[in-house]
């Protein structure tokens, strides 16, 4: 008995390692079209976070994604955050550091092809803010998201300073940020810009070293009861403008429309209806076709019936389960 008590006393005196919080999540999506084609995508993600003894926070995570075509993509990210800022290693936004300094939007953000998803590469990224001055820097490795060395190694950095509604920013990139999509140039690019916000109006002006003209833009947002109006005008390429309107008829019904002169003054119109776990929408897209969908939310499962008016005009049923 004495030996047991001594052993317990020693065990209680020893330091116990802190256990990090671990979250496991994933999803499986199956989409069946009336053409007979079926597409299945799966994703598994593991994330962990722990507050260290010195007050800093360490996080890590990885994900495995696979689809019907047996295209498997793995990605992982680790970060350390504290008073000094945040340091991230692994899968990062392809031009995050550069875009942080492009306050006037002189160079379009890098995305994967024609979609709106962020383009990612492997690299090291740092961002921090002290006394209104924000800095960011990153190095993109020559390894793409698919694990192959298809991307040129590049360096990016930026600095922005905010004082009394005026933000001044500078960004630099030594080369293209992605093998498939670029910063709009095939060499180094510098950008400098200023943004001023007063009330509902935001005005920006900036110049990129790869473009002959400066970019000047003004955006005005107005909210009157259930109506929201957002208007933007800039000088590229010839005084383009865009107007977005959103009107909530009730808690369940809303209408939205967009007029974009850049796309040839094409107009889109979307009507949506929400009741409980069901959401239905009908939209007239800028190519003149009409899309419609009905989605049911069952908690961890979602069922969607959709009609694509463009392209082949297919109808699809999609079932997604998440955990």
């Amino acid at each position: 008995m004495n030996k047991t008590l001594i052993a317990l006393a020693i065990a209680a005196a020893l330091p116990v390692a802190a256990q990090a919080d671990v979250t496991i999540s994933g999803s499986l999506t199956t989409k069946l079209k009336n053409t007979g084609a079926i597409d299945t995508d799966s994703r598994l993600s593991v994330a962990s976070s722990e507050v260290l003894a010195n007050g800093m926070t360490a996080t890590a995570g990885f994900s495995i994604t696979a689809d019907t075509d047996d295209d498997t993509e793995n990605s992982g990210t680790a970060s350390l955050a504290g008073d000094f800022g945040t340091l991230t290693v692994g899968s990062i936004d392809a031009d995050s550091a550069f875009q942080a300094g492009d306050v006037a939007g002189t160079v379009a953000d890098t995305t994967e092809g024609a979609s709106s998803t962020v383009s990612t590469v492997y690299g090291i990224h740092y961002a921090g803010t002290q006394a209104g001055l924000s800095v960011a820097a990153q190095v993109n490795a020559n390894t793409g998201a698919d694990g192959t060395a298809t991307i040129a190694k590049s360096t990016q950095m930026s600095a922005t300073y905010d004082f009394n509604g005026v933000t001044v920013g500078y960004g630099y990139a030594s080369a293209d940020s992605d093998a498939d999509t670029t910063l709009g140039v095939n060499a180094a690019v510098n950008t400098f810009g200023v943004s001023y916000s007063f009330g509902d109006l935001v005005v920006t002006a900036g110049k990129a070293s790869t473009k002959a003209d400066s970019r000047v833009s003004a955006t005005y947002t107005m909210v009157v009861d259930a109506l929201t109006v957002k208007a933007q005008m800039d000088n590229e390429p010839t005084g383009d403008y865009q107007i977005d309107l959103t009107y909530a008829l009730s808690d369940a019904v809303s209408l939205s429309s967009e007029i974009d002169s850049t796309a040839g003054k094409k107009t889109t119109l979307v009507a949506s209806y929400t009741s409980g776990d069901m959401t239905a929408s009908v939209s007239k897209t800028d190519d003149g076709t009409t899309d419609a969908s009905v989605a049911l939310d069952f908690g961890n499962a979602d069922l969607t019936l959709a009609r694509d008016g463009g392209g082949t005009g297919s109808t699809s049923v999609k079932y997604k389960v998440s955990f």
Side-chain angles (χ1 to χ4, degrees):
M1 178 66 69
N2 291 335
K3 292 182 178 179
T4 303
L5 292 176
I6 293 174
L8 291 175
I10 295 176
L14 292 175
V16 179
Q19 298 296 316
D21 295 329
V22 178
T23 302
I24 300 176
S25 61
S27 64
L28 178 66
T29 304
T30 299
K31 184 176 183 180
L32 174 64
K33 297 182 179 180
N34 62 333
T35 58
I38 188 170
D39 183 22
T40 300
D41 298 326
S42 61
R43 182 182 182 89
L44 176 64
S45 300
V46 178
S48 175
S49 177
E50 181 178 0
V51 178
L52 306 179
N54 56 10
M56 294 189 293
T57 301
T59 60
F62 71 88
S63 63
I64 303 174
T65 306
D67 58 29
T68 303
D69 300 326
D70 293 329
D71 294 331
T72 301
E73 182 177 300
N74 304 328
S75 62
T77 303
S79 66
L80 183 64
D83 295 338
F84 67 95
T86 302
L87 179 66
T88 304
V89 180
S91 180
I92 60 175
D93 186 343
D95 56 358
S96 175
F98 175 84
Q99 288 294 330
D102 190 12
V103 297
T106 60
V107 179
D109 196 359
T110 304
T111 56
E112 294 283 4
S115 70
S116 60
T117 56
V118 174
S119 177
T120 57
V121 297
Y122 286 110
I124 302 174
H125 178 272
Y126 167 78
T129 301
Q130 293 291 339
L133 176 64
S134 299
V135 296
Q138 74 181 60
V139 176
N140 291 352
N142 63 355
T143 304
D146 59 356
T148 60
T150 57
I151 300 174
K153 179 181 177 181
S154 63
T155 301
Q156 300 174 24
M157 61 185 67
S158 66
T160 60
Y161 185 69
D162 187 6
F163 55 99
N164 298 329
V166 179
T167 301
V168 180
Y170 168 79
Y172 166 81
S174 65
D176 294 346
S177 61
D178 198 305
D180 300 319
T181 52
T182 69
L183 288 169
V185 295
N186 293 317
V189 56
N190 294 272
T191 182
F192 177 79
V194 178
S195 174
Y196 181 52
S197 175
F198 47 101
D200 298 328
L201 180 64
V202 179
V203 179
T204 63
K207 175 74 168 60
S209 60
T210 54
K211 296 186 178 181
D213 298 326
S214 300
R215 185 177 190 272
V216 180
S217 175
T219 303
Y220 180 75
T221 304
M222 178 182 66
V223 179
V224 180
D225 295 330
L227 177 65
T228 301
V229 180
K230 181 179 179 180
Q232 178 179 353
M233 178 175 287
D234 55 55
N235 64 325
E236 290 185 317
T238 55
D240 299 313
Y241 65 86
Q242 178 176 308
I243 301 175
D244 295 314
L245 304 173
T246 303
Y247 183 69
L249 296 175
S250 65
D251 293 338
V253 181
S254 65
L255 300 174
S256 61
S257 179
E258 178 181 285
I259 303 173
D260 192 348
S261 69
T262 308
K265 296 183 180 180
K266 293 183 178 180
T267 303
T268 61
L269 179 62
V270 179
S272 63
Y273 172 76
T274 302
S275 177
D277 298 330
M278 184 195 72
T279 300
S281 66
V282 178
S283 60
K284 174 185 175 295
T285 60
D286 55 10
D287 61 1
T289 61
T290 301
D291 298 337
S293 67
V294 177
L296 297 174
D297 184 358
F298 301 112
N300 289 346
D302 299 300
L303 180 64
T304 305
L305 175 64
R307 170 68 178 176
D308 184 3
T312 59
S314 63
T315 301
S316 63
V317 178
K318 183 172 70 173
Y319 183 61
K320 180 178 180 180
V321 178
S322 305
F323 65 88

